[in-house]
């Protein structure tokens, strides 16, 4: 028995008793389960690493790393080690890589896959060296004594990371099989492990006070301090103290120990309040981090749970949790210090006019980017009270772009993230705020009160959307942006193109968040019931409508990233019923399901989460049910006209040019489902018989768009009948008329008469030249407005249209 074999036997049971691990394999590595032609590459010859890896890989149905690999009857090492004790630049791994290459050159049937296997004990990033200190522990190859302590104290927190496999066949076919290529493979593997550690543990940690002091010495902050002293007529020392105070208010104090403790707590918490967390797109962020990208997560903001959920999911994906830009309102005791140690840095709601604070914050953010810390911020600025994405606040995006202008060397990728829930614990609070109640100040008592009501929240959904490579995005949006970059330490001047470019970039981020949205049992059930008369359906009607929604969204998906549940309509209703949000009445004719009163208003929140994905299918259904016989071109023309409004209000990502093929695909699917039928004539269709169940389904789908179309009809009717009119008067009358419609026709959605939403509609119409301005600054309607308004009016219910027209006439008389 070899010396190494002896220690493997001696340490087997102690290591097994003292260690516990999680395994994360890339999808391509998982696909090799049961395969034989697999080789592993590991950083060093650690016996404890090998014992843990052996258990992990065998549990994943991959070959035992100790078993030899047989190639043409000859045994080869199954595991390659880049470093061996006493031989940091070992030639053994190069020889083994060369042997694999030569075998593939001689035998074209071979295709060995090499899987890099990394082991991380506790995921510590390590401490950055302080001045005068030279002893720095080697976290990759720590030695036997330090490994003993790692097993003892970090053995219960091991991450085994299997990366994307490398095909030796592809390497030989492309680059040959000489020693130079073997050297390159070994070198690439070493770089891979360095990047993998950075992705998993993050950059080395610097003490918080040292960070603050180093930032105060930067050229940009020295200049900002001098400017502050001059403008406020105070001494530079006083200005420096103010800058120090700002940094102390902002800076995080990341602690891996606390993150590890929170991992345990959050694992316990999620198991209590969620049935599960559905994650999509994890491969994307792992690939970015391992490629050395600066990753910036930009999620939507639904709940205070967002901070915890996203960091937890990222940690479980085998990556270091991000530093999170949190509102300074969350910096209350004891939550504030805990958030700081979890990676939160705090930002004021507004710092307009405070140039020193602005410079301090930008410098801190730039340091995070330069050091390679992943960052997370919410472009909406606050939590959505209606369930729809809020218009983006572009400050953080602008600072990110400005960071690029300061010579950022690492590639930067913005990752839009969709967060969705079957239950949001703040919904009732949101409804009170929308009714006029003041927003409550954050406090420990408020948090504990929320936690006291924690029950089953159903499923949580986290989808990492299509990343935006910032360099490529700027090349596309502003090709000459490189001319504004600087390599100096001082902050570059603000280029004129920054604001319009940042606005476009922010819009794209919001659209990609919506691209990654998820349907679930609650938002689909809410959509169906809120679209029905009296907000009630029989069980059979509800189940069939849920089946219809999921069938359409699978066949004509909103985007490749949108999540559609696999369950049937019956299974979705069973899931939704467990949340006690819906009233079920059982009579002699069967079950009737409805939502009543305040619950119906609350359900609009969940429906609004998915409205952007439903609105176009619903408008197509609205044309079909209202016109009964129609042409495809009629639907296309209407949606092309509506496109700017839908894109600005709901962040619909499809371009105007994409409307025609989208409509064609939907009509084809509706015909397949029997909702419509093709008739004689080019692109002519007829809706299903009016007394059929299919027509009922078509109408129910169409009503999903009713509130949106009514809001547009209100603005267009006012614009036509009351021009010339001041913008303020138009907005005021639109709100009043929407409130009247809400009261008379039972429209419960809080955003229906929201002034900001209506003002946004008016702004979009003006930008698209539907609205002009006369010599007195009054708004006047373009001639296209009448046709546009008539097209929408034909889709409204007669009673609603009558209310709009009568109310407008009453406003004219009152004026």
């Amino acid at each position: 028995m070899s010396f190494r074999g002896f220690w493997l036997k001696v340490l087997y049971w102690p290591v097994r008793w003292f260690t516990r691990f999680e395994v994360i394999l890339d999808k391509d590595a998982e696909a090799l389960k049961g395969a034989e032609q697999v080789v592993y590459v590991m950083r060093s010859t650690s016996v404890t690493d090998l014992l843990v890896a052996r258990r992990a890989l065998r549990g994943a149905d991959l070959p035992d790393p100790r078993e030899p690999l047989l190639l043409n009857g000859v045994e080869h090492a199954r595991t390659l080690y880049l470093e061996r004790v006493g031989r940091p630049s070992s030639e053994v791994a190069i020889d083994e890589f060369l042997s694999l290459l030569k075998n593939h050159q001689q035998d074209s049937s071979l295709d060995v896959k090499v899987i890099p296997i990394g082991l991380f004990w506790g995921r510590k990033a390590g401490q950055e060296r302080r001045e005068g200190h030279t002893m720095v522990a080697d976290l990759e190859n720590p030695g036997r004594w330090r490994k003993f302590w790692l097993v003892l104290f970090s053995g219960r927190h091991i991450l085994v990371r299997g990366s994307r496999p490398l095909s030796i066949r592809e390497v030989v076919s492309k680059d040959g099989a000489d020693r130079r290529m073997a050297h390159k493979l070994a070198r690439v593997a070493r770089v891979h492990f360095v990047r993998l550690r950075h992705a998993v543990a993050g950059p080395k940690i610097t003490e918080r006070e040292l960070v603050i002091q180093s930032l105060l010495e930067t050229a940009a902050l020295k200049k900002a301090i001098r400017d502050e002293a001059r403008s406020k007529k105070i001494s530079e020392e006083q200005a420096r103290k103010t800058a120090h105070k700002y940094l102390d208010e902002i800076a995080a104090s990341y602690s891996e120990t606390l993150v590890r403790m929170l991992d345990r707590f959050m694992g316990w918490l999620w198991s209590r309040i969620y049935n599960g967390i559905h994650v999509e797109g994890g491969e994307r962020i792992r690939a970015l981090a391992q490629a050395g990208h600066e990753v910036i997560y930009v999620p939507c903001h639904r709940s205070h749970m967002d901070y915890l959920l996203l960091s937890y999911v990222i940690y479980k994906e085998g990556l270091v949790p991000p530093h999170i830009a949190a509102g300074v309102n969350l910096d209350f005791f004891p939550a504030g210090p805990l958030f700081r140690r979890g990676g939160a840095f705090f930002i004021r709601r507004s710092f307009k006019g405070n140039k020193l604070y602005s410079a301090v914050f930008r410098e801190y953010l730039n340091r995070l980017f330069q050091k390679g810390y992943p960052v997370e911020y919410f472009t909406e600025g606050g939590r959505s009270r209606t369930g729809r994405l809020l218009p983006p606040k572009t400050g953080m995006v602008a600072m990110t772009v400005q960071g690029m202008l300061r010579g950022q060397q690492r590639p930067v990728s913005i990752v839009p993230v969709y967060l969705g829930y079957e239950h949001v614990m703040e919904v009732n609070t949101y409804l009170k705020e929308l009714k006029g109640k003041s927003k409550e100040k954050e406090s420990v008592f408020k948090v504990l009160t929320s936690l006291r009501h924690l029950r089953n929240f159903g499923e949580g959904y986290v989808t990492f959307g299509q990343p935006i490579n910032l360099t490529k995005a700027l090349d596309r949006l502003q090709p000459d942006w490189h001319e504004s970059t600087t390599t100096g330490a001082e902050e570059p001047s603000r280029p004129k193109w920054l604001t319009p470019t940042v606005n476009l970039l922010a819009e794209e981020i919001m659209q990609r968040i919506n691209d990654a949205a998820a349907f679930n049992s609650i938002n689909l059930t809410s959509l169906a019931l809120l679209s029905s008369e009296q907000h009630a359906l029989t069980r059979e009607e509800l189940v069939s409508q849920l089946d219809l929604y999921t069938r359409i969204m699978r066949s004509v998906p909103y985007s490749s990233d949108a999540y559609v549940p696999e369950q049937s309509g019956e299974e979705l209703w069973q899931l939704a019923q467990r949340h006690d949000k819906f009233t079920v009445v059982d009579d002699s004719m069967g079950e009737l399901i409805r939502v009543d009163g305040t619950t119906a208003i609350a359900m609009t929140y969940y429906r609004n989460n998915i409205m952007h994905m439903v609105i176009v299918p619903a408008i197509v259904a609205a044309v079909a049910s209202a016109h009964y016989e129609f042409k495809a071109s009629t639907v296309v023309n209407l949606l092309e006209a509506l496109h700017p409004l839908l894109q600005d209000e709901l962040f619909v990502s499809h371009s105007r040019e994409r409307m025609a093929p989208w409509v064609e695909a939907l009509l084809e699917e509706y015909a397949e489902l029997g909702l419509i039928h093709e008739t004689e004539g080019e692109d002519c269709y007829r809706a299903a018989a009016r007394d059929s169940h299919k027509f009922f389904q078509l109408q129910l789908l169409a009503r999903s768009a009713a509130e949106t179309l009514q809001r547009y009809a209100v603005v267009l009717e006012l614009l036509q009948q009351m021009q010339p009119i001041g913008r303020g008067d138009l907005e005021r009358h639109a709100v009043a008329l929407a409130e009247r419609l809400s009261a008379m026709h039972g429209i419960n959605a809080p955003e229906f008469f929201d002034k900001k939403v209506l003002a946004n509609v008016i702004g979009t119409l003006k930008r698209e030249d539907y609205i002009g301005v006369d010599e007195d600054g009054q708004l006047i309607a373009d001639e296209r407005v009448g046709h546009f308004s008539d097209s929408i009016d034909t889709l409204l219910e007669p009673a609603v249209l009558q209310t709009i027209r009568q109310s407008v006439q009453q406003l004219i008389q009152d004026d």
Side-chain angles (χ1 to χ4, degrees):
M1 180 188 298
S2 68
F3 182 73
R4 181 176 173 78
F6 168 77
W7 280 111
L8 284 168
K9 283 187 174 295
V10 169
L11 295 175
Y12 178 82
W13 285 110
V15 171
R16 188 177 183 91
W17 290 330
F18 281 99
T19 59
R20 184 173 60 189
F21 55 82
E22 292 182 71
V23 183
I24 296 179
L25 300 175
D26 280 7
K27 287 183 179 179
D28 290 345
E30 285 184 342
L32 295 176
K33 289 181 178 181
E36 178 58 28
Q37 290 189 13
V38 172
V39 165
Y40 307 109
V41 58
M42 297 179 66
R43 178 68 185 261
S44 66
T45 56
S46 166
V47 171
T48 50
D49 280 6
L50 181 61
L51 287 170
V52 173
R54 188 183 185 195
R55 285 167 56 203
L57 294 169
R58 290 172 69 178
D61 198 23
L62 288 167
D64 188 326
R66 290 204 63 209
E67 292 178 356
L69 171 66
L70 288 176
L71 297 178
N72 298 322
V74 179
E75 289 189 356
H76 294 264
R78 176 79 68 178
T79 305
L80 283 61
Y81 301 100
L82 297 179
E83 295 179 4
R84 295 172 182 268
V85 177
R87 301 176 64 188
S89 57
S90 173
E91 292 289 315
V92 177
I94 296 172
D95 292 338
E96 290 170 336
F97 272 124
L98 182 61
S99 177
L100 285 175
L101 293 170
K102 293 293 186 185
N103 273 275
H104 282 70
Q105 190 177 51
Q106 295 164 9
D107 186 349
S108 60
S109 66
L110 295 180
D111 189 8
V112 172
K113 301 294 195 301
V114 180
I115 305 177
I117 302 294
L119 273 84
F120 302 92
W121 299 71
R123 305 206 211 177
K124 284 186 177 293
Q127 196 79 17
E128 205 169 64
R129 262 188 295 188
R130 296 184 62 176
E131 189 175 348
H133 291 249
T134 57
M135 294 297 291
V136 180
D138 183 357
L139 293 171
E140 297 291 356
N141 200 6
R144 293 188 179 92
W145 183 243
R146 180 168 171 79
K147 200 54 171 277
F148 169 77
W149 293 111
L150 282 175
V151 172
L152 206 59
F153 293 105
S154 298
R156 312 295 283 178
H157 307 280
I158 304 171
L159 174 65
V160 180
R161 204 43 197 89
S163 302
R164 181 183 175 187
L166 172 72
S167 169
I168 297 295
R169 166 58 50 205
E170 291 180 7
V171 171
V172 171
S173 300
K174 183 180 178 181
D175 298 307
D178 55 14
R179 193 167 187 82
R180 176 190 58 80
M181 197 62 226
H183 266 285
K184 182 178 179 180
L185 289 177
R187 185 173 66 253
V188 168
R190 287 191 181 91
V191 171
H192 171 81
F193 281 116
V194 170
R195 287 180 171 176
L196 185 60
R197 168 159 286 284
H198 190 282
V200 170
K204 286 182 168 59
I205 303 298
T206 306
E207 291 179 15
R208 184 170 182 269
E209 186 56 34
L210 289 178
V211 171
I212 292 173
Q213 292 300 331
S214 66
L215 286 172
L216 289 171
E217 296 302 318
T218 60
L221 280 194
K222 282 184 175 180
K223 181 179 182 300
I225 289 169
R226 289 195 301 270
D227 291 345
E228 178 79 358
R230 186 166 50 251
S231 65
K232 297 287 180 65
K233 297 181 180 179
I234 57 177
S235 69
E236 287 192 20
E237 183 58 31
Q238 288 175 304
R240 182 184 172 90
K241 285 181 180 179
T242 303
H244 187 285
K245 184 185 73 171
Y246 290 157
L247 280 167
D248 189 53
E249 177 186 301
I250 293 166
S253 182
Y254 183 80
S255 166
E256 188 272 342
T257 302
L258 177 68
V259 169
R260 193 165 66 187
M261 292 171 59
L262 285 174
D263 172 48
R264 285 187 172 185
F265 171 73
M266 297 311 297
W268 170 84
L269 181 65
W270 299 137
S271 67
R272 294 293 189 279
I273 65 176
Y274 288 115
N275 292 332
I277 300 171
H278 187 93
V279 180
E280 295 279 345
E283 289 278 329
R284 285 175 174 160
I285 58 172
R286 290 200 297 270
L288 289 173
Q290 288 171 211
H293 284 233
E294 168 64 25
V295 180
I296 300 172
Y297 301 95
V298 186
C300 59
H301 203 2
R302 311 283 193 216
S303 165
H304 280 318
M305 300 295 275
D306 297 343
Y307 303 100
L308 302 175
L309 179 62
L310 184 53
S311 290
Y312 176 76
V313 166
I314 291 170
Y315 191 76
K316 287 301 182 184
E317 288 293 323
L319 300 173
V320 62
H323 278 52
I324 306 167
V328 74
N329 60 306
L330 295 177
D331 189 15
F332 57 86
F333 184 83
L338 286 174
F339 288 156
R340 283 191 197 278
R341 286 169 175 77
F345 60 97
F346 292 97
I347 180 173
R348 297 181 180 182
R349 290 289 181 188
S350 173
F351 39 90
K352 188 175 182 180
N354 190 337
K355 293 183 178 180
L356 181 58
Y357 183 91
S358 181
V360 164
F361 188 85
R362 282 199 304 272
E363 200 66 16
Y364 180 77
L365 187 64
N366 187 62
R367 183 187 187 277
L368 295 180
F369 294 157
Q370 295 291 344
K371 289 289 185 179
Y373 294 98
V375 172
E376 172 190 333
Y377 54 73
F378 298 88
T379 56
E380 293 172 281
R383 292 165 292 159
S384 170
R385 266 59 179 171
T386 64
R388 297 157 55 143
L389 288 185
L390 301 174
K393 302 289 196 329
T394 57
M396 292 295 290
V397 181
M399 291 183 197
T400 303
V401 174
Q402 286 175 300
M404 291 288 291
L405 301 183
R406 296 184 67 169
Q408 170 72 21
Q409 297 300 311
R410 300 169 67 235
V412 177
S413 283
I414 297 174
V415 179
V417 187
Y418 174 84
L419 300 173
Y421 307 88
E422 288 187 319
H423 177 77
V424 174
M425 64 181 180
E426 298 102 326
V427 162
N428 289 331
T429 302
Y430 294 163
L431 293 179
K432 292 176 184 176
E433 290 177 12
L434 289 167
K435 290 178 180 178
K437 183 179 179 181
S438 299
K439 182 181 176 183
E440 295 180 19
K441 186 178 180 180
E442 310 295 348
S443 65
V444 176
F445 175 77
K446 186 177 177 183
V447 172
L448 292 176
T449 302
S450 299
L451 290 175
R452 183 170 57 87
H453 297 294
L454 292 183
R455 291 190 291 272
N456 178 13
F457 283 13
E459 295 268 349
Y461 298 85
V462 180
T463 305
F464 299 97
Q466 285 285 348
I468 299 173
N469 183 297
L470 194 50
T471 299
K472 293 180 180 177
L474 290 177
D475 288 343
R476 169 168 46 87
L477 297 172
Q478 186 65 38
D480 61 351
W481 70 275
H482 291 279
E483 297 176 8
S484 302
T485 59
T486 178
T487 56
E490 292 196 12
E491 190 173 350
S493 59
R494 186 182 179 94
K496 292 181 180 179
W497 54 260
L498 184 65
T499 297
T501 300
V502 164
N503 290 341
L504 291 172
L505 184 60
E507 292 286 327
E508 187 173 346
I509 291 170
M510 306 309 280
Q511 290 172 12
R512 293 200 187 192
I513 290 174
N514 266 349
D515 279 350
F519 290 99
N520 61 53
S521 64
I522 295 297
N523 56 39
L524 285 170
T525 302
S526 300
L527 178 69
L529 290 174
L530 293 174
S531 300
S532 62
E533 292 184 12
Q534 307 303 318
H535 299 160
L537 292 169
T538 67
R539 181 183 183 128
E540 292 75 19
E541 290 170 343
L542 174 60
V543 167
S544 68
Q545 198 68 16
L546 294 177
D547 280 325
L548 178 73
Y549 292 152
T550 53
R551 164 72 185 271
I552 292 171
M553 295 305 164
R554 288 192 201 105
S555 301
V556 190
Y558 176 79
S559 77
S560 58
D561 293 323
Y563 172 72
V564 182
E566 298 177 354
Q567 293 96 332
S568 66
E570 178 62 37
E571 291 169 327
L572 288 171
W573 164 238
Q574 291 294 338
L575 290 171
Q577 190 175 12
R578 293 189 300 184
H579 294 282
D580 296 326
K581 296 180 185 294
F582 310 102
T583 302
V584 180
V585 179
D586 197 354
D587 58 23
S588 59
M589 300 181 66
E591 288 186 352
L592 185 69
I593 301 158
R594 68 172 188 261
V595 284
D596 303 309
T598 304
T599 303
I601 300 174
M603 289 303 100
T604 64
Y605 185 95
Y606 302 100
R607 177 202 63 184
N608 289 346
N609 289 174
I610 58 171
M611 185 51 64
H612 64 283
M613 296 194 286
V614 175
I615 189 67
V616 169
I619 291 173
V620 174
V623 174
S625 59
H627 291 261
Y628 196 66
E629 292 188 357
F630 63 98
K631 286 189 173 185
S633 58
T634 302
V635 189
V636 171
N637 292 339
L638 175 61
L639 278 166
E640 286 180 346
L642 286 168
H643 176 267
L645 293 166
L646 300 177
Q647 192 168 63
D648 283 0
E649 182 179 341
L650 298 172
F651 298 104
V652 172
S653 61
H654 294 246
S655 65
R656 194 193 300 253
E657 292 71 28
R658 284 288 304 153
M659 283 296 160
W662 193 2
V663 168
E664 290 168 7
L666 286 168
L667 291 175
E668 185 177 328
E669 180 62 23
Y670 290 2
E672 184 74 22
L673 289 164
L675 302 176
I676 61 175
H677 306 285
E678 290 190 61
T679 61
E680 294 183 5
E682 188 176 353
D683 291 330
C684 292
Y685 295 89
R686 182 183 68 250
R690 294 185 185 275
D691 58 353
S692 68
H693 177 66
K694 292 295 183 183
F695 188 78
F696 171 78
Q697 287 188 296
L698 186 69
Q699 275 195 315
L700 201 57
L701 176 57
R703 288 194 189 117
S704 302
E707 292 170 13
T708 301
L709 294 173
Q710 288 166 20
R711 189 162 48 247
Y712 298 161
V714 163
V715 174
L716 292 170
E717 188 71 21
L718 284 168
L719 188 59
Q720 280 188 98
Q721 301 301 327
M722 299 191 70
Q723 63 174 318
I725 184 173
R727 179 158 182 167
D729 289 337
L730 180 58
E731 291 178 3
R732 180 168 53 84
H733 290 327
V735 170
L737 184 45
E739 288 176 341
R740 170 70 66 86
L741 276 179
S742 177
M744 293 186 64
H745 298 281
I747 301 170
N748 293 316
E751 76 279 358
F752 182 72
F753 46 81
D754 186 281
K755 183 178 179 179
K756 291 181 180 178
V757 175
L758 290 161
N760 184 63
V761 172
I762 295 167
T764 304
L765 290 171
K766 188 173 184 298
R767 191 195 70 217
E768 295 295 314
D769 294 327
Y770 282 99
I771 299 176
V773 181
D774 66 13
E775 295 177 352
D776 299 323
Q778 300 285 89
L779 303 183
I780 53 175
D782 182 79
E783 60 183 14
R784 296 175 297 156
V785 168
H787 177 71
F788 192 16
S789 179
D790 291 344
S791 298
I792 293 175
D793 288 349
T794 60
L795 307 182
L796 305 184
E797 294 181 6
V800 171
L801 181 59
Q802 181 72 4
T803 299
I804 292 173
R805 289 180 173 171
Q806 285 183 347
S807 299
V808 170
Q809 291 304 313
Q810 182 65 48
L811 286 170
I812 292 172
Q813 291 175 15
D814 291 345
D815 277 4

